[in-house]
PDB file of all heavy atoms in Angstrom:
ATOM      1  N   LYS A 547      10.282  -6.189  18.909  1.00  0.00           N
ATOM      2  CA  LYS A 547       9.691  -7.244  19.730  1.00  0.00           C
ATOM      3  C   LYS A 547       8.413  -6.743  20.400  1.00  0.00           C
ATOM      4  O   LYS A 547       7.331  -7.286  20.187  1.00  0.00           O
ATOM      5  CB  LYS A 547      10.700  -7.682  20.793  1.00  0.00           C
ATOM      6  CG  LYS A 547      10.137  -8.660  21.784  1.00  0.00           C
ATOM      7  CD  LYS A 547      11.128  -8.947  22.880  1.00  0.00           C
ATOM      8  CE  LYS A 547      11.315  -7.800  23.842  1.00  0.00           C
ATOM      9  NZ  LYS A 547      10.257  -7.565  24.793  1.00  0.00           N
ATOM     10  N   THR A 548       8.598  -5.663  21.199  1.00  0.00           N
ATOM     11  CA  THR A 548       7.488  -5.234  22.036  1.00  0.00           C
ATOM     12  C   THR A 548       6.314  -4.729  21.203  1.00  0.00           C
ATOM     13  O   THR A 548       6.474  -3.837  20.375  1.00  0.00           O
ATOM     14  CB  THR A 548       7.963  -4.137  23.003  1.00  0.00           C
ATOM     15  OG1 THR A 548       9.155  -4.606  23.621  1.00  0.00           O
ATOM     16  CG2 THR A 548       6.921  -3.849  24.052  1.00  0.00           C
ATOM     17  N   GLU A 600       5.675   1.824  31.786  1.00  0.00           N
ATOM     18  CA  GLU A 600       5.434   2.675  32.950  1.00  0.00           C
ATOM     19  C   GLU A 600       3.990   2.534  33.421  1.00  0.00           C
ATOM     20  O   GLU A 600       3.708   2.547  34.618  1.00  0.00           O
ATOM     21  CB  GLU A 600       5.749   4.129  32.599  1.00  0.00           C
ATOM     22  CG  GLU A 600       7.227   4.323  32.315  1.00  0.00           C
ATOM     23  CD  GLU A 600       7.575   5.728  31.847  1.00  0.00           C
ATOM     24  OE1 GLU A 600       6.643   6.491  31.535  1.00  0.00           O
ATOM     25  OE2 GLU A 600       8.775   6.039  31.791  1.00  0.00           O
ATOM     26  N   THR A 631      15.769   4.732  24.015  1.00  0.00           N
ATOM     27  CA  THR A 631      16.329   3.408  23.759  1.00  0.00           C
ATOM     28  C   THR A 631      17.849   3.434  23.782  1.00  0.00           C
ATOM     29  O   THR A 631      18.489   2.428  24.043  1.00  0.00           O
ATOM     30  CB  THR A 631      15.830   2.921  22.387  1.00  0.00           C
ATOM     31  OG1 THR A 631      14.468   3.275  22.301  1.00  0.00           O
ATOM     32  CG2 THR A 631      15.927   1.442  22.244  1.00  0.00           C
ATOM     33  N   ARG A 686      10.222  -8.754  30.717  1.00  0.00           N
ATOM     34  CA  ARG A 686      10.991  -7.514  30.652  1.00  0.00           C
ATOM     35  C   ARG A 686      11.309  -7.129  32.086  1.00  0.00           C
ATOM     36  O   ARG A 686      10.467  -7.275  32.962  1.00  0.00           O
ATOM     37  CB  ARG A 686      10.142  -6.489  29.924  1.00  0.00           C
ATOM     38  CG  ARG A 686      10.108  -5.115  30.484  1.00  0.00           C
ATOM     39  CD  ARG A 686       9.373  -4.220  29.555  1.00  0.00           C
ATOM     40  NE  ARG A 686       9.956  -4.348  28.224  1.00  0.00           N
ATOM     41  CZ  ARG A 686      10.148  -3.331  27.410  1.00  0.00           C
ATOM     42  NH1 ARG A 686       9.792  -2.115  27.772  1.00  0.00           N
ATOM     43  NH2 ARG A 686      10.666  -3.501  26.228  1.00  0.00           N
ATOM     44  N   THR A 687      12.516  -6.673  32.325  1.00  0.00           N
ATOM     45  CA  THR A 687      12.896  -6.363  33.701  1.00  0.00           C
ATOM     46  C   THR A 687      13.307  -4.895  33.826  1.00  0.00           C
ATOM     47  O   THR A 687      13.855  -4.311  32.891  1.00  0.00           O
ATOM     48  CB  THR A 687      14.082  -7.247  34.138  1.00  0.00           C
ATOM     49  OG1 THR A 687      15.037  -7.257  33.083  1.00  0.00           O
ATOM     50  CG2 THR A 687      13.618  -8.656  34.413  1.00  0.00           C
ATOM     51  N   THR A 746      15.623  -5.762  19.131  1.00  0.00           N
ATOM     52  CA  THR A 746      14.940  -5.365  20.352  1.00  0.00           C
ATOM     53  C   THR A 746      15.862  -4.646  21.328  1.00  0.00           C
ATOM     54  O   THR A 746      17.073  -4.886  21.343  1.00  0.00           O
ATOM     55  CB  THR A 746      14.318  -6.592  21.061  1.00  0.00           C
ATOM     56  OG1 THR A 746      13.726  -6.166  22.277  1.00  0.00           O
ATOM     57  CG2 THR A 746      15.345  -7.663  21.347  1.00  0.00           C
ATOM     58  N   ASP A 748      15.438  -5.063  24.396  1.00  0.00           N
ATOM     59  CA  ASP A 748      15.443  -5.928  25.565  1.00  0.00           C
ATOM     60  C   ASP A 748      16.710  -6.774  25.640  1.00  0.00           C
ATOM     61  O   ASP A 748      17.527  -6.775  24.721  1.00  0.00           O
ATOM     62  CB  ASP A 748      14.189  -6.814  25.536  1.00  0.00           C
ATOM     63  CG  ASP A 748      13.394  -6.642  26.809  1.00  0.00           C
ATOM     64  OD1 ASP A 748      14.033  -6.540  27.870  1.00  0.00           O
ATOM     65  OD2 ASP A 748      12.143  -6.610  26.749  1.00  0.00           O
TER      66      ASP A 748
HETATM   67  P1  ATP B 121      11.478  -3.274  20.934  1.00  0.00           P
HETATM   68  O1  ATP B 121      10.152  -2.626  21.017  1.00  0.00           O
HETATM   69  O2  ATP B 121      12.400  -2.625  19.978  1.00  0.00           O
HETATM   70  O3  ATP B 121      11.434  -4.730  20.884  1.00  0.00           O
HETATM   71  P2  ATP B 121      11.863  -2.571  23.631  1.00  0.00           P
HETATM   72  O4  ATP B 121      10.727  -1.654  23.598  1.00  0.00           O
HETATM   73  O5  ATP B 121      11.792  -3.781  24.475  1.00  0.00           O
HETATM   74  O6  ATP B 121      12.284  -3.014  22.228  1.00  0.00           O
HETATM   75  P3  ATP B 121      13.415  -0.471  24.702  1.00  0.00           P
HETATM   76  O7  ATP B 121      12.212   0.358  24.716  1.00  0.00           O
HETATM   77  O8  ATP B 121      14.674   0.064  24.145  1.00  0.00           O
HETATM   78  O9  ATP B 121      13.174  -1.806  23.971  1.00  0.00           O
HETATM   79  O10 ATP B 121      13.702  -0.947  26.168  1.00  0.00           O
HETATM   80  C1  ATP B 121      14.931  -1.494  26.542  1.00  0.00           C
HETATM   81  C2  ATP B 121      15.002  -1.686  28.040  1.00  0.00           C
HETATM   82  O11 ATP B 121      14.865  -0.421  28.690  1.00  0.00           O
HETATM   83  C3  ATP B 121      13.909  -2.536  28.610  1.00  0.00           C
HETATM   84  O12 ATP B 121      14.287  -3.882  28.645  1.00  0.00           O
HETATM   85  C4  ATP B 121      13.721  -1.993  30.001  1.00  0.00           C
HETATM   86  O13 ATP B 121      14.619  -2.588  30.878  1.00  0.00           O
HETATM   87  C5  ATP B 121      14.089  -0.550  29.850  1.00  0.00           C
HETATM   88  N1  ATP B 121      12.915   0.303  29.721  1.00  0.00           N
HETATM   89  C6  ATP B 121      11.908   0.185  28.843  1.00  0.00           C
HETATM   90  N2  ATP B 121      11.024   1.173  28.987  1.00  0.00           N
HETATM   91  C7  ATP B 121      11.464   1.944  29.985  1.00  0.00           C
HETATM   92  C8  ATP B 121      10.995   3.147  30.605  1.00  0.00           C
HETATM   93  N3  ATP B 121       9.887   3.744  30.223  1.00  0.00           N
HETATM   94  N4  ATP B 121      11.711   3.664  31.624  1.00  0.00           N
HETATM   95  C9  ATP B 121      12.845   3.071  31.993  1.00  0.00           C
HETATM   96  N5  ATP B 121      13.336   1.959  31.450  1.00  0.00           N
HETATM   97  C10 ATP B 121      12.676   1.399  30.475  1.00  0.00           C
END
Side-chain angles (χ1 to χ4, degrees):
K547 174 186 72 75
T548 311
E600 294 175 348
T631 318
R686 137 173 307 220
T687 45
T746 177
D748 236 320

